[in-house]
């Protein structure tokens, strides 16, 4: 048995209560189940035996394709319906909200190590035998290999003994695969939302603010970072576990970001609340009204996977403009302008037509 509960409804009620305690908001859910590999392996052995004994009969050929169901799928089906009733939403494989159940046998780590050693031993014993070979007969292959076999592999082709399954019932490999489980599995529960992304543009007005957290020898550089200013205001609003900041390019700490701003994405991890347009506007206003006025954001919105391509395009198409104010002790001449314009280090130079007495020029 995978569970100790008397029925699926009782287990579903326990799961539903745990989900509600997490405080997630969701419109649907996806149920994920992971079971010990020994169960899958035993299923494959039983399937192999059934195919060997009844594979040529018409009734078996029809039922094996249409009516066979794995233990994992049976568990999921038995839980989905009561969970839908208890949570008040439908299940969907494409849902961003996941409920995950992991069944692990006691002492799984050591047992997995023993499994690997046993398989390698059985494999060495077989591959080291003289004149041994594997011959394909239809969908079945001679010989038993002590390696993990998935259900799909069992359907496509099962390794079997050349002289019948019964002759190998006393082999170490076969005994291992059919080892009886005497202790219940340990159930681990976890519910989470897949990452969501909030995109927008930021402007940076301070020359003492880095784009991301910056430390040198444990000493902080700058008074703040764009990452922290934006992320710290999003995190409590979305009730998420953590966040990651991504931007289309970067500027130095002592360089301001003006104009239309730099595109950015905030990757929200396990958000319990998906922000609406109204909440995003509230976050935007809160950041822009901070007392220090270091950073401003605009056009905040939820974006999907296409946000990454937009970020890449923004980085590639970003046109940078630089301004410099240069003072010299004499008026500029046409020869000066020509010399500066022909410089390899100054690809674009905008000439100020008004040569004032201060001899100031603005370089773009």
């Amino acid at each position: 048995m995978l569970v100790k509960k008397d029925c699926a409804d009782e287990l579903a009620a326990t799961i539903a209560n745990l989900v509600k305690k997490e405080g997630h908001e969701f419109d649907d859910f996806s149920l994920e189940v992971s079971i010990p590999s020994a169960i899958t392996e035993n299923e494959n052995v039983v399937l192999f035996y059934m195919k060997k004994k009844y594979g040529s009969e018409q009734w078996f050929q029809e039922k094996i394709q249409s009516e066979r169901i794995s233990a994992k799928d049976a568990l999921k089906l038995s839980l989905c319906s009561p969970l839908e009733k208890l949570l008040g939403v439908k299940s969907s494989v494409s849902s961003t909200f996941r409920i995950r159940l992991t069944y692990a046998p006691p002492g799984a780590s050591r047992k997995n190590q023993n499994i690997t050693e046993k398989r390698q031993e059985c494999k060495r014993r077989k591959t080291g035998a003289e004149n041994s070979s594997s011959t394909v007969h239809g969908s079945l292959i001679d010989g038993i290999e002590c390696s993990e076999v998935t259900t799909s592999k069992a359907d496509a082709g099962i390794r079997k003994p050349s002289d019948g399954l019964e002759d190998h019932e006393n082999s170490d490999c076969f005994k291992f695969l059919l080892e009886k489980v005497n202790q219940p599995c340990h159930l681990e529960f976890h519910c989470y939302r897949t990452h969501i992304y909030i995109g927008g543009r930021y402007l940076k007005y301070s020359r003492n603010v880095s784009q991301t957290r910056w430390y040198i020898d444990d000493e902080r550089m700058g008074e703040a970072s764009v990452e922290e200013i934006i992320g710290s205001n999003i995190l409590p609003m979305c009730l998420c576990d953590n966040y990651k900041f991504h931007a289309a390019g970067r500027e130095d700490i002592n360089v301001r970001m003006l104009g239309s701003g730099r595109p950015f994405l905030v990757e929200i991890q396990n958000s319990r609340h998906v922000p609406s347009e109204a909440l995003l506007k509230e976050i935007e206003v809160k950041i822009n009204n901070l007392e220090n006025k270091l950073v401003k954001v605009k056009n905040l919105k939820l974006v999907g996977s296409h946000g990454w391509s937009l970020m890449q395009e923004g980085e590639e198409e970003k046109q940078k403009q630089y301004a410099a104010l240069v003072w010299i002790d004499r008026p500029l001449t046409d020869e000066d302008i020509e010399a500066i314009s022909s410089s390899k280090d100054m690809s674009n130079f905008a000439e100020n037509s008004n040569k004032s007495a201060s001899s100031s020029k603005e370089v773009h």
Side-chain angles (χ1 to χ4, degrees):
M1 293 294 292
L2 290 177
V3 296
K4 294 175 66 176
K5 296 292 185 180
D6 294 333
C7 63
D9 289 346
E10 187 178 348
L11 177 60
T14 302
I15 296 171
N17 289 333
L18 292 173
V19 170
K20 292 174 182 178
K21 287 181 180 179
E22 289 290 323
H24 283 277
E25 297 177 0
F26 51 94
D27 298 324
D28 50 25
F29 70 91
S30 173
L31 180 62
E32 300 175 342
V33 175
S34 176
I35 61 176
S37 59
I39 294 178
T40 304
E41 290 172 347
N42 284 346
E43 280 187 304
N44 290 329
V45 171
V46 173
L47 176 61
F48 161 70
Y49 175 79
M50 296 292 289
K51 280 188 172 182
K52 178 180 180 298
K53 189 169 185 177
Y54 305 109
S56 60
E57 300 186 21
Q58 184 66 28
W59 67 268
F60 180 80
Q61 296 175 5
E62 294 175 353
K63 290 183 177 295
I64 196 65
Q65 297 296 334
S66 60
E67 299 183 19
R68 183 173 64 89
I69 185 171
S70 66
K72 182 169 72 173
D73 289 340
L75 178 60
K76 290 176 65 175
L77 288 174
S78 65
L79 290 174
C80 270
S81 180
L83 277 176
E84 288 178 343
K85 295 178 181 178
L86 293 166
L87 297 175
V89 295
K90 293 292 185 180
S91 63
S92 171
V93 293
S94 60
S95 175
T96 59
F97 179 66
R98 312 288 174 82
I99 300 174
R100 182 167 185 81
L101 306 178
T102 302
Y103 290 88
S109 299
R110 178 59 191 164
K111 187 172 182 179
N112 287 340
Q113 182 179 348
N114 293 337
I115 288 174
T116 303
E117 294 173 353
K118 193 77 172 182
R119 286 173 178 165
Q120 292 174 347
E121 179 185 351
C122 292
K123 190 172 183 179
R124 285 195 300 268
R125 190 182 306 154
K126 286 190 58 57
T127 55
E130 296 182 0
N131 301 325
S132 62
S133 62
S134 297
T135 306
V136 177
H137 296 287
S139 61
L140 299 177
I141 305 175
D142 291 344
I144 295 179
E145 181 179 349
C146 291
S147 60
E148 185 174 2
V149 182
T150 62
T151 304
S152 58
K153 288 181 180 179
D155 293 337
I158 307 294
R159 296 187 182 276
K160 72 171 186 176
S162 58
D163 54 348
L165 185 64
E166 295 81 357
D167 295 340
H168 290 264
E169 285 183 350
N170 293 324
S171 71
D172 292 338
C173 299
F174 192 72
K175 279 185 178 180
F176 170 74
L177 285 173
L178 292 182
E179 181 180 357
K180 194 172 182 180
V181 179
N182 297 318
Q183 295 181 342
C185 296
H186 172 69
L187 172 59
E188 295 180 0
F189 165 84
H190 181 52
C191 66
Y192 65 99
R193 186 184 303 281
T194 55
H195 299 340
I196 62 174
Y197 299 91
I198 296 177
R201 289 177 176 267
Y202 75 82
L203 294 92
K204 190 182 77 171
Y205 299 122
S206 172
R207 297 185 186 276
N208 195 30
V209 172
S210 59
Q211 187 186 78
T212 57
R213 298 177 182 90
W214 187 19
Y215 290 87
I216 298 180
D217 296 331
D218 296 329
E219 182 180 352
R220 186 186 182 99
M221 300 291 105
E223 60 181 304
S225 70
V226 177
E227 173 189 30
E228 291 169 298
I229 292 173
I230 296 177
S232 62
N233 284 279
I234 289 178
L235 191 148
M237 293 286 197
C238 295
L239 302 176
C240 60
D241 291 346
N242 207 345
Y243 66 89
K244 290 184 179 179
F245 183 85
H246 311 274
R250 65 187 303 118
E251 68 282 336
D252 291 337
I253 187 172
N254 59 349
V255 176
R256 293 183 296 173
M257 171 52 59
L258 305 176
S260 60
R262 187 183 297 278
F264 72 90
L265 283 179
V266 179
E267 181 181 336
I268 310 298
Q269 300 175 355
N270 194 22
S271 175
R272 288 159 182 79
H273 181 59
V274 180
S276 61
E277 290 185 12
L279 182 58
L280 289 174
K281 187 63 179 177
E282 183 180 342
I283 295 173
E284 186 174 315
V285 171
K286 183 179 179 181
I287 294 174
N288 295 342
N289 289 337
L290 291 174
E291 185 177 353
N292 50 26
K293 303 290 184 183
L294 300 176
V295 171
K296 178 182 178 180
V297 295
K298 60 182 182 179
N299 304 330
L300 290 187
K301 60 182 178 181
L302 283 176
V303 296
S305 56
H306 67 282
W308 291 108
S309 59
L310 294 176
M311 289 270 289
Q312 185 176 2
E313 292 174 6
E315 187 171 359
E316 293 173 351
E317 298 175 1
K318 179 70 176 178
Q319 294 183 354
K320 300 180 179 179
Q321 292 184 336
Y322 297 90
L325 184 62
V326 181
W327 294 86
I328 61 174
D329 58 359
R330 61 176 177 79
L332 284 176
T333 65
D334 291 336
E335 289 76 13
D336 294 329
I337 301 299
E338 183 178 353
I340 296 174
S341 300
S342 62
S343 174
K344 293 181 180 180
D345 296 330
M346 193 75 68
S347 59
N348 290 309
F349 183 79
E351 179 181 355
N352 187 346
S353 59
N354 181 19
K355 297 179 181 180
S356 61
S358 64
S359 301
S360 64
K361 290 292 176 180
E362 187 175 9
V363 182
H364 295 277

